Amino acid sequence: MVEKKGNSEAMGIAGFTLGIVSLALIIFGSPFGGIIFGVVGGVLCYRQQKKKPMKMAKTGLILNIVGVVLNIILIVVYVQYIIPLLAQYGA
C-alpha cells in the first residue's frame, strides 16, 4: 500500500488565506461572502490545530473570528442605517 505524503500544514494555510479573504470582503461590502469564508476558514484552522498545531493556523483562526464578527457588524449597520436611508430617499 502506498501512503500519500501531503503537506500536513495545508489546512492551516488554506484557513489563514480564507481569513484574509474574509477580512478583504469587508472592504468590498460583501458581508455574507465574508461570513461564509470566515466560517470555512475557521473550521480548517481549528482542524489543523487539533491535528498538528502551528502558528499560521492559530493566526488564521483569529483572523477568521475577527472577519466573521466584523461582517456581522457590517450586516447590522446595513440593516439599521443604510436600508432605511435608501428607502427614505427613494433609491
Side-chain angles (χ1 to χ4, degrees), residues 18-78:
L18 289 175
I20 293 172
V21 170
S22 174
L23 289 173
L25 286 176
I26 294 171
I27 296 169
F28 297 113
S30 178
F32 294 109
I35 290 173
I36 292 169
F37 281 117
V39 169
V40 172
V43 169
L44 289 174
C45 287
Y46 180 77
R47 288 182 64 200
Q48 176 67 46
Q49 283 296 95
K50 290 294 183 185
K51 184 179 175 183
K52 180 183 174 191
M54 57 184 274
K55 289 182 182 180
M56 187 174 278
K58 189 174 191 176
T59 305
L61 189 58
I62 293 168
L63 283 173
N64 284 302
I65 291 170
V66 169
V68 168
V69 169
L70 290 177
N71 278 301
I72 289 172
I73 290 171
L74 185 60
I75 290 173
V76 170
V77 167
Y78 278 165

Side-chain angles (χ1 to χ4, degrees), residues 3-4 7 10 18 21 53-54 57 69 77 79 88-89:
E3 197 172 310
K4 288 186 178 181
N7 187 355
L18 289 175
V21 170
M54 57 184 274
V69 169
V77 167
V79 170
Q88 180 182 0
Y89 292 108

